[in-house]
């Protein structure tokens, strides 16, 4: 999975919330989906900064090969 997306877990969560919102026609789930996406993006950026410090050029090369989300 990590050869297609650097953060497949967050994509999975987003799709689950989006699917529940559409399935149940719930504005609450759709709002959770939007809030989650903003929060997840902030967390992803923090994780990537940590990975750049921890793994250096190896992680930078990985970032250049694989998209952040999809």
């Amino acid at each position: 999975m990590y050869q297609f997306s650097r953060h497949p877990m967050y994509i999975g969560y987003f799709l689950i919330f989006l699917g529940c919102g559409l399935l149940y026609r719930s504005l609450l789930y759709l709002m959770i989906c939007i809030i989650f996406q903003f929060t997840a993006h902030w967390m992803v950026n923090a994780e990537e900064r940590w990975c750049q410090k921890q793994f250096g050029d190896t992680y930078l090369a990985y970032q250049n090969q694989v998209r952040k989300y999809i």
Side-chain angles (χ1 to χ4, degrees), residues 49-63:
R49 283 191 301 273
W50 181 86
C51 287
Q52 287 172 353
K53 289 179 185 175
Q54 189 73 20
F55 302 111
D57 291 336
T58 304
Y59 191 75
L60 291 174
Y62 175 64
Q63 279 183 308

Side-chain angles (χ1 to χ4, degrees), residues 11-36:
I11 294 171
Y13 286 141
F14 175 77
L15 292 175
I16 288 170
F17 287 135
L18 181 63
C20 288
L22 295 174
L23 180 67
Y24 296 114
R25 297 180 184 171
S26 169
L27 288 178
L28 177 63
Y29 275 118
L30 293 175
M31 288 173 43
I32 289 171
C33 182
I34 291 169
I35 292 168
F36 173 78

